[in-house]
Each structure stands twice: as C-alpha cells, then as structure tokens.
Amino acid sequence: VYVMPNPTQGNTEVLLTLDQGNQTRVELQAVLGRPVALVHAGLLSAGEHRLRLPLEQAAAGTYFVRVTQANGTQAVRVVKE
C-alpha cells in the first residue's frame, strides 16, 4: 500500500497491489481514528489498483489510509499540507 504524492496538497492516490482477489475496505481516517471518507468497499481483483483519496477539501494535517481485507489490515500515514 502506497500513497502518492505524500505529503500532498489534495490530489492524491492510494496504490494497492493484491496477490489475490478479495473483499477490500479502504478508509481515510483522521489521526485519532475518526472516519473521514470511505474510499472503497467491495471486491477488488488480484493485481494493481489506483484509488483517488478525497483530500481536496480536508483540513491540513495527518491522516491514515486503512486497508482491510480478510487476511489483515494495513495503515499508511498521509500528510495534507
């Protein structure tokens, strides 16, 4: 899981590479865990995926992109300038 560019001023993507297809939930959260946006919820096939993060209207600060699948959760920090 990668976020680019990071830090960002608003136009940002999360890049996912999945070994196998699976139900996937991608959320944008504030630093204290408050949900900001649900980026994706549903099946993603194996391979590479690019999803847009809705940070254009978000306040400057630190956020986390949380990716949850059946086999676990990963979180990546992203900074909005």
Side-chain angles (χ1 to χ4, degrees):
V1 177
Y2 298 98
V3 175
M4 56 186 249
N6 190 10
T8 183
Q9 293 184 354
N11 188 15
T12 306
E13 290 182 321
V14 60
L15 308 173
L16 305 171
T17 302
L18 305 177
D19 292 333
Q20 55 185 305
N22 208 333
Q23 291 293 323
T24 305
R25 184 175 181 91
V26 181
E27 299 174 277
L28 181 64
Q29 297 180 335
V31 71
L32 296 178
R34 179 182 56 83
V36 174
L38 178 60
V39 178
H40 178 84
L43 183 64
L44 285 178
S45 60
E48 294 185 6
H49 301 273
R50 289 179 177 255
L51 303 171
R52 189 183 70 78
L53 293 180
L55 283 170
E56 293 84 1
Q57 302 300 317
T62 301
Y63 296 86
F64 287 93
V65 176
R66 184 184 243 22
V67 178
T68 304
Q69 293 187 301
N71 60 351
T73 299
Q74 292 183 5
V76 177
R77 184 175 65 99
V78 59
V79 176
K80 166 81 185 289
E81 297 179 328

